[in-house]
Amino acid sequence: MNKLTALFLLFLFTCKACYCETLPYNFYDTFCIPITLSITEEISTKDNIYEGQSVQFKVRKNVRHNGQSILKSGDVINAKIETIVTSGMNGFPAEIIIDDFQIPGICNSQLISTYNKKGQNRCLWVYPLKWSLTLIPFAGSLTNLIKGGHAKIRPKDIVTIYYYPNWKEDKDLCIEDIKNENGTSLSE
Amino acid sequence: MKKIISLLLLLLLISPAYAGLAEMNAIQQRIDSIGTRILNFNKIPKRIIFTYSEETKAEWLGKYHELKSRQIIVYDELYQFTQTDDEIAAMLSREIATVLKSYSGMWGGSIDAIQVALSSKKFETVADKRAVDYMVKAGYNPLALIVFINKTYPQKRQDVIARHNLTSKRLARIYEYITYKYPEYLQDTEYINNQYYQNFLLNSLENRRKLEEKIKMHSTGEVHYE
């Protein structure tokens, strides 16, 4: 009976140590392939853009891995506007954050792809001006009227995202390979 | 007999101290686990640490640990409002969004950090929105952010001359963000039966009506919440 109790206790102590959770990611591998893109149509915080809006990017250079073509120059991929920061008082710049790039045949879990673009940051001269104007009563508050620059992403801007082919694939985050009309996949 | 009594007394003296330490260790472990999960699932390649503190947050001195040393301090006064992992994730996600701001921009992020500190009202909204994204990617329910803020932050009279937004405005903006980007969470039965979430639904009737109007009109403009 004692042996049984001892065995049970041993099991209780060791079972937690044996239990090994498998993480859905493994960032061990450092090899990455940069994918350079440019937006197809200019977007700006000045225009009517909204969070969650789909935007399209064009691949600038062919992307190959292990002798296979992943993306061809001119291919169009979708992404989403994640967050929009509007410009604020005292020269606070606007900002656009883009993510959720949908590349056929590539899992989102294998991409480091957050891209952000800011407008002109006028705080650098607005704050010194504000502090120097505080000598005159209420004059410092006038700089509140100066707003920061709008954020724009132009077709000439180069957006680089990174593809880590050896990172784990999270099947839920994979974009199925899109087939062309003639049956060949877009990534072939 | 004396030996036994002295041993018992010693045990009585040590055990509360040990229990307190063990409790703190358990909280720290929970915070570390949730915080690291958010960082990893969002593939945030920056160093951020999470520290639990029983102290009260200083009002001015040493206030911006997250911007200065990229250290998120979870104060007991905030931690006590969290009941679920989702709510802790909500609290940490907001702070992660703030810390990340201090990593970007000129002079090692110093300029951006100052901007965040000075334009706290503006950045408060940004941090709330980013927190929703981080939570969703890490597998947490973003409605927990609404629940957490609804329970934690008081409602001031106005925010015109203030460094923070009205809590009701913050909540309405988060709700709007979730409505547009992650509408599937609004039907979550877990939160439909959550009394704190229901309380938010009750106290945000007017603001939600404004949002419904915006959706109906297909407008992309900013709603002026109360």
Side-chain angles (χ1 to χ4, degrees):
Chain A
M1 189 61 190
N2 277 349
K3 274 182 189 169
L4 265 176
T5 317
L7 260 172
F8 181 67
L9 282 172
L10 194 71
F11 172 73
L12 273 181
F13 281 116
T14 51
C15 66
K16 203 182 172 187
C18 291
Y19 174 68
C20 210
E21 194 190 356
T22 312
L23 293 168
Y25 48 78
N26 183 356
F27 305 128
Y28 176 75
D29 202 273
T30 57
F31 174 71
C32 75
I33 301 165
I35 301 173
T36 50
L37 311 161
S38 55
I39 200 159
T40 52
E41 230 172 88
E42 181 179 306
I43 56 164
S44 166
T45 47
K46 207 163 36 176
D47 307 327
N48 264 346
I49 55 169
Y50 55 89
E51 281 145 347
Q53 182 183 327
S54 197
V55 280
Q56 291 190 315
F57 284 84
K58 209 186 268 180
V59 179
R60 291 175 73 97
K61 283 180 194 166
N62 292 340
V63 182
R64 295 179 72 81
H65 174 51
N66 281 346
Q68 278 192 321
S69 173
I70 301 168
L71 286 166
K72 277 183 190 159
S73 171
D75 281 351
V76 175
I77 57 172
N78 287 318
K80 269 185 184 159
I81 299 177
E82 279 251 311
T83 313
I84 300 165
V85 183
T86 51
S87 59
M89 291 190 298
N90 293 308
F92 193 96
E95 190 175 348
I96 302 174
I97 301 169
I98 289 183
D99 206 344
D100 201 15
F101 286 84
Q102 313 270 306
I103 304 177
I106 292 179
C107 278
N108 210 284
S109 61
Q110 294 173 307
L111 289 173
I112 288 195
S113 57
T114 309
Y115 173 78
N116 64 327
K117 180 87 189 283
K118 274 186 203 167
Q120 194 185 46
N121 192 347
R122 294 174 186 144
C123 296
L124 296 169
W125 58 268
V126 170
Y127 276 109
L129 177 70
K130 187 185 188 74
W131 292 321
S132 56
L133 283 174
T134 46
L135 297 170
I136 311 161
F138 308 112
S141 305
L142 289 174
T143 61
N144 290 350
L145 304 172
I146 304 169
K147 283 202 161 190
H150 282 288
K152 276 182 201 157
I153 303 179
R154 298 187 179 96
K156 66 175 184 181
D157 293 332
I158 299 170
V159 176
T160 309
I161 60 172
Y162 298 91
Y163 168 45
Y164 288 79
N166 300 326
W167 281 5
K168 266 189 186 176
E169 289 180 4
D170 187 343
K171 293 291 173 201
D172 292 343
L173 300 173
C174 282
I175 309 301
E176 277 180 33
D177 209 351
I178 300 164
K179 303 274 182 191
N180 291 336
E181 283 171 2
N182 54 11
T184 54
S185 83
L186 200 79
S187 56
E188 274 167 19
Chain B
M1 189 61 185
K2 272 184 187 171
K3 274 183 189 170
I4 293 171
I5 292 168
S6 54
L7 259 172
L8 200 69
L9 279 171
L10 195 71
L11 193 74
L12 278 174
L13 282 174
I14 294 170
S15 60
Y18 178 75
L21 202 67
E23 197 187 339
M24 267 192 78
N25 187 274
I27 296 171
Q28 180 65 53
Q29 211 176 342
R30 192 178 178 202
I31 290 166
D32 278 337
S33 166
I34 296 169
T36 311
R37 184 186 163 93
I38 298 167
L39 295 179
N40 289 350
F41 272 90
N42 284 283
K43 289 174 271 159
I44 295 170
K46 303 286 179 200
R47 281 204 68 242
I48 298 171
I49 64 160
F50 309 92
T51 312
Y52 172 67
S53 170
E54 282 184 317
E55 290 169 21
T56 311
K57 190 175 182 178
E59 261 314 300
W60 291 107
L61 287 174
K63 195 180 174 186
Y64 296 105
H65 284 284
E66 60 274 20
L67 295 175
K68 285 191 297 186
S69 48
R70 284 82 184 243
Q71 179 186 19
I72 293 171
I73 299 184
V74 178
Y75 292 97
D76 201 34
E77 58 188 314
L78 269 189
Y79 183 79
Q80 64 179 336
F81 288 104
T82 60
Q83 265 123 40
T84 61
D85 282 2
D86 281 345
E87 288 171 32
I88 296 176
M91 176 173 61
L92 297 178
S93 297
R94 280 204 78 262
E95 301 299 326
I96 289 171
T98 312
V99 173
L100 283 180
K101 203 72 187 149
S102 78
Y103 266 113
S104 67
M106 289 159 68
W107 300 339
S110 308
I111 297 291
D112 278 35
I114 294 168
Q115 272 183 339
V116 171
L118 292 173
S119 311
S120 56
K121 207 158 138 184
K122 176 113 215 148
F123 197 72
E124 203 168 50
T125 311
V126 181
D128 287 341
K129 288 179 180 178
R130 296 301 290 154
V132 170
D133 292 326
Y134 292 152
M135 288 178 73
V136 170
K137 280 185 189 160
Y140 295 105
N141 193 320
L143 295 180
L145 183 62
I146 289 178
V147 170
F148 171 68
I149 292 174
N150 194 42
K151 279 195 293 184
T152 315
Y153 294 92
Q155 181 75 12
K156 299 266 172 71
R157 286 185 200 286
Q158 52 82 27
D159 66 349
V160 181
I161 312 164
R163 295 191 72 244
H164 297 282
N165 296 293
L166 277 181
T167 308
S168 56
K169 277 188 190 174
R170 281 179 68 190
L171 288 167
R173 284 175 191 148
I174 296 167
Y175 186 81
E176 181 183 336
Y177 195 70
I178 297 171
T179 305
Y180 279 107
K181 283 188 81 178
Y182 311 106
E184 65 275 16
Y185 284 98
L186 297 178
Q187 305 305 324
D188 195 302
T189 46
E190 186 196 334
Y191 276 82
I192 290 292
N193 295 316
N194 180 311
Q195 60 172 339
Y196 305 109
Y197 179 61
Q198 284 297 331
N199 178 259
F200 156 74
L201 292 178
L202 180 67
N203 66 45
S204 64
L205 280 171
E206 200 51 49
N207 282 338
R208 286 189 298 119
R209 222 168 269 144
K210 286 181 180 178
L211 176 62
E212 280 169 11
E213 197 64 31
K214 177 185 173 175
I215 295 168
K216 214 189 289 175
M217 304 294 282
H218 300 289
S219 160
T220 51
E222 204 176 322
V223 183
H224 295 286
Y225 293 116
E226 288 160 10

